Amino acid sequence: MTEPPAPRHRPAPGHRPAPGGRLTALQGTALYVGAVLGTGVIALPALAADTAGPASLLAWLALVVVSAPLAAVFAALGARYPDAGGVSTYARLAFGERTAAVVGWCFYLAVPPGATAAALFAGSYTEAAVGGGTVTRTVTAAALMAAVTAANAAGLRVTGRLQLALSGLLLVLLLAAVALSLPQARTEHLEPFAPHGWAAIGPAAALLVWSFAGWEAITHLAAEFRDPSRDLPRAAAAAVAIVGVLYLSVAFAVVAVLGAGAAHADAPLGELMARGMGGNARLLAAAAALLLTFGTMNAYYAGAAKLGAALGRDGALPGWLGRGGSVGEVPRRSLAAVSALAFLSLLTVTAAHTDARPLVLLATGSFVTVYAIGVAAALRLLPRRGAIRAAALVALVAVAGLLLMSGRYLLWPLGVAAAALLYQRLRGRKRARRTPEAAATPLEAAETG
């Protein structure tokens, strides 16, 4: 059966469509946890410890604190403007079509390389458990990408239930690894606390941004909630608490249990499990890594597929991507585009014989850009008084700091922004050639300009 075209209407400020989605607050919490927790807990505690030593724990704490206002702001926007465009919709309402296109392109084109990097991280754990080198890593990554695509093609109802089950399993695995290994923690492992100086906390925090990207991802699914105004803020608040506890617990255990060896651990979660459970826990660590990665990729594929359909609906991307973007529908064309770009990223890094680091840096720069524009839009769209206004101001200061730490990694989103603006210009010219008399009207001029 041919899917009906996505509606051409755009949400007006303050518009709240009638509840019709299927996601509950509990499933939303699971999607948030999957989007944010993800692969950060697999590798970054060790990398951060290598950068700043035990003082990296302060970087983790700072980013957990920053997460609270960020999550609150994006949840408030999603509850007030539940649309598949997510941050792109907020940017359009606040700043116009061009900014909306830039945000949409930045997020949409950040997901494929980011998802590929996540899949390769999981592949590295599998390779450590069963051997096979690059072949095992690449095949594992490809299998994960195919599985996530299939899960999302089955529909958001399956996605929400699957994410709920995955998050429950992950909570058990991670908390068990931490609890069983903590008896081996030693206070001497925390000394010296800042072996590379206090200034090293900044670079460690910049590295950890990858771990905390995701608070904006679920906004693309806001209209899929049964009651966005109630369920989305609840899901975000619960997720902040869960993610904060898990990240801080795992990071502390890695430093306090592994000591100096934490900086050189290729699979720190596996090391914790081995210390706590005894024997060779690489297979269990690989299973945990696969579950974590699946959850992250699952949430991002779902959000990006909906975003692509919304961008196709609004003309920021080709219109054929707009099919399946309505509430309850599956945007299979947009999902196929995300999946194809992810496989292209995997093919590129495999052919170049490089690791996932370049992909991580590309995705991080894009997500920070999305955060910056999203928070700026919140200051224009949300109520000018109250707690949410204060949260937006705090989030703006935090994002400004993240932009400074991103440095040269912002070159990729700048290039994407240029491409988005060029597409808008070419599309406007094409429309003007088709309807020159309409293009002269103020309304058409505003839309195309």
Side-chain angles (χ1 to χ4, degrees):
M1 179 181 295
T2 302
E3 294 176 340
R8 298 295 300 177
H9 72 279
R10 296 172 181 176
H15 169 71
R16 293 189 178 109
R22 295 172 173 173
L23 290 177
T24 65
L26 188 59
Q27 290 174 334
T29 301
L31 284 166
Y32 265 120
V33 170
V36 180
L37 186 62
T39 54
V41 76
I42 296 176
L44 289 186
L47 295 178
D50 185 38
T51 302
S56 62
L57 294 175
L58 296 180
W60 283 103
L61 179 61
L63 287 172
V64 169
V65 172
V66 166
S67 289
L70 277 175
V73 167
F74 284 114
L77 286 169
R80 189 174 179 83
Y81 308 99
D83 183 72
V87 183
S88 178
T89 294
Y90 318 144
R92 176 176 57 76
L93 294 174
F95 305 115
E97 299 288 352
R98 291 180 177 179
T99 307
V102 168
V103 171
W105 278 51
C106 281
F107 186 92
Y108 195 65
L109 294 180
V111 170
T116 303
L120 287 171
F121 284 144
S124 296
Y125 266 68
T126 304
E127 188 275 331
V130 302
T134 302
V135 173
T136 298
R137 185 181 69 149
T138 304
V139 170
T140 300
L144 268 173
M145 291 155 63
V148 170
T149 301
N152 277 273
L156 280 171
R157 187 171 186 177
V158 173
T159 300
R161 291 175 176 175
L162 186 60
Q163 196 73 44
L164 185 58
L166 286 175
S167 295
L169 286 173
L170 293 177
L171 287 174
V172 172
L173 278 172
L174 292 176
L175 291 177
V178 170
L180 292 174
S181 65
L182 276 181
Q184 300 186 41
R186 300 290 182 268
T187 55
E188 54 266 27
H189 288 165
L190 301 177
E191 300 175 357
F193 190 72
H196 307 300
W198 296 104
I201 297 175
L207 181 66
L208 295 177
V209 169
W210 167 264
S211 298
F212 288 88
W215 299 116
E216 81 295 338
I218 309 305
T219 61
H220 304 291
L221 306 177
E224 302 293 336
F225 282 79
R226 292 178 180 175
D227 186 349
S229 62
R230 180 194 65 186
D231 295 337
L232 201 58
R234 290 182 179 180
V240 167
I242 293 171
V243 168
V245 169
L246 285 175
Y247 268 150
L248 291 175
S249 298
V250 172
F252 177 80
V254 166
V255 171
V257 174
L258 302 184
H264 309 290
D266 293 328
L269 189 60
E271 292 290 335
L272 283 184
M273 291 181 174
R275 296 288 183 93
M277 304 175 187
N280 189 340
R282 289 183 177 178
L283 285 174
L284 184 58
L290 289 171
L291 288 173
L292 282 166
T293 305
F294 189 96
T296 302
M297 293 172 62
N298 191 45
Y300 269 97
Y301 270 50
K306 280 291 185 182
L307 170 62
L311 293 175
R313 174 199 69 194
D314 294 340
L317 283 175
W320 62 269
L321 287 173
R323 292 289 184 92
S326 298
V327 175
E329 295 181 347
V330 179
R332 291 188 174 88
R333 292 184 178 184
S334 179
L335 174 63
V338 171
S339 182
L341 289 172
F343 275 106
L344 180 61
S345 299
L346 178 62
L347 179 63
T348 301
V349 296
T350 301
H353 302 288
T354 186
D355 58 16
R357 188 179 298 268
L359 299 177
V360 172
L361 300 180
L362 291 178
T364 298
S366 294
F367 288 137
V368 171
T369 302
V370 171
Y371 275 157
I373 298 176
V375 172
L379 289 173
R380 298 195 66 174
L381 297 175
L382 295 178
R384 296 185 178 276
R385 296 181 180 179
I388 195 60
R389 178 73 174 184
L393 290 171
V394 172
L396 183 64
V397 173
V399 170
L402 294 179
L403 284 172
L404 290 175
M405 290 186 291
S406 296
R408 64 181 183 274
Y409 306 144
L410 294 177
L411 291 176
W412 168 250
L414 286 176
V416 171
L421 293 174
L422 178 61
Y423 179 85
Q424 289 291 93
R425 178 183 290 270
L426 294 175
R427 174 175 169 269
R429 288 179 177 177
K430 184 176 181 180
R431 181 187 298 176
R433 286 196 299 269
R434 288 181 176 178
T435 56
E437 65 282 352
T441 67
L443 178 60
E444 184 69 8
E447 288 184 354
T448 59

